[in-house]
Amino acid sequence: MAVWSDTFLKLENRFEMSCGVGQFCWSDDVKGGLDEFDKAVSTEAIEAFNEMKLKKTHKWIIYKLSDDKKQVIIEKTSDKDDYEDFRSNLNNNAPRYAIYDMEYKMEDSGIRQKIIFIAWSSDEAKVMEKMLYSSSKEAVRKALNGIGAEVQANDQDDLEKESIIDRLKKGKA
């Protein structure tokens, strides 16, 4: 099992300051380091996503890093179609990964449904936590096979339901 904090430190040590003043670039040898995150998504987290996708058992799932930073685990799930309840469960002080089974109406082709991956990283969260969540996002996404769209949200405005639906309709999510 990969250890999040050790893996993050390995990745952090590979930072280079060669892009210019105040800008960070990843060195080429980082590619292999991110593979270690693939093992860090808990079995329960993957199973809950698959049940949501195939059996429609959940409307939304919020994931977080475990206290020891070793795995992505489930923080909360719900089967209620209440977007505001979902949104209120995303804390401004802590990054999270979230999955929402979004249903929306297209004017010319009826009702559509997409499972969206939300990378929530509020501007108010601690920098080190935001870096950890950001650097592991792609590996978490890969572990959750079948995501229809992705949204990066950094403030409550980014989480507005109508804003997300507009992006889905335009193919920008």
Side-chain angles (χ1 to χ4, degrees):
M1 176 73 47
V3 177
W4 282 89
S5 54
D6 291 345
T7 304
F8 182 68
L9 289 174
K10 289 177 194 173
L11 293 173
E12 188 177 39
N13 290 334
R14 295 179 194 173
F15 259 138
E16 294 179 346
M17 291 292 290
S18 61
C19 289
V21 177
Q23 297 177 337
F24 291 101
C25 291
W26 289 104
S27 63
D28 289 337
D29 66 334
V30 154
K31 295 173 189 169
L34 291 176
D35 293 337
E36 297 177 45
F37 285 120
D38 289 339
K39 301 175 191 143
V41 180
S42 74
T43 304
E44 294 82 15
I46 295 170
E47 287 173 356
F49 173 76
N50 288 333
E51 287 174 7
M52 174 187 192
K53 181 175 66 171
L54 301 173
K55 298 178 184 175
K56 305 292 183 195
T57 55
H58 308 295
K59 186 66 178 174
W60 53 265
I61 305 169
I62 296 175
Y63 298 105
K64 69 174 190 168
L65 293 179
S66 61
D67 291 339
D68 62 3
K69 308 286 189 248
K70 290 184 180 183
Q71 285 191 310
V72 173
I73 60 172
I74 297 170
E75 181 176 49
K76 191 167 187 178
T77 65
S78 179
D79 60 354
K80 295 178 187 168
D81 189 8
D82 184 348
Y83 188 79
E84 288 308 312
D85 181 45
F86 162 73
R87 193 173 151 190
S88 70
N89 277 281
L90 292 171
N91 181 335
N92 278 344
N93 297 321
R96 293 291 185 260
Y97 304 115
I99 303 292
Y100 194 91
D101 191 355
M102 182 73 72
E103 191 172 288
Y104 59 100
K105 184 171 174 48
M106 294 291 285
E107 294 169 15
D108 59 342
S109 59
I111 295 177
R112 298 258 178 105
Q113 195 164 5
K114 277 197 181 178
I115 295 176
I116 57 172
F117 175 85
I118 300 171
W120 169 245
S121 186
S122 167
D123 293 332
E124 298 172 29
K126 294 178 182 175
V127 173
M128 192 59 111
E129 282 189 5
K130 291 194 303 188
M131 287 176 62
L132 182 56
Y133 274 79
S134 176
S135 65
S136 59
K137 178 180 83 170
E138 201 55 41
V140 174
R141 253 203 84 168
K142 282 199 299 189
L144 304 176
N145 190 16
I147 293 170
E150 179 179 331
V151 173
Q152 174 65 48
N154 298 85
D155 60 36
Q156 288 294 327
D157 290 342
D158 293 338
L159 290 174
E160 288 287 333
K161 186 174 185 177
E162 291 307 315
S163 172
I164 292 173
I165 289 173
D166 286 344
R167 284 188 268 172
L168 289 170
K169 288 179 178 179
K170 294 175 184 175
K172 294 183 178 181

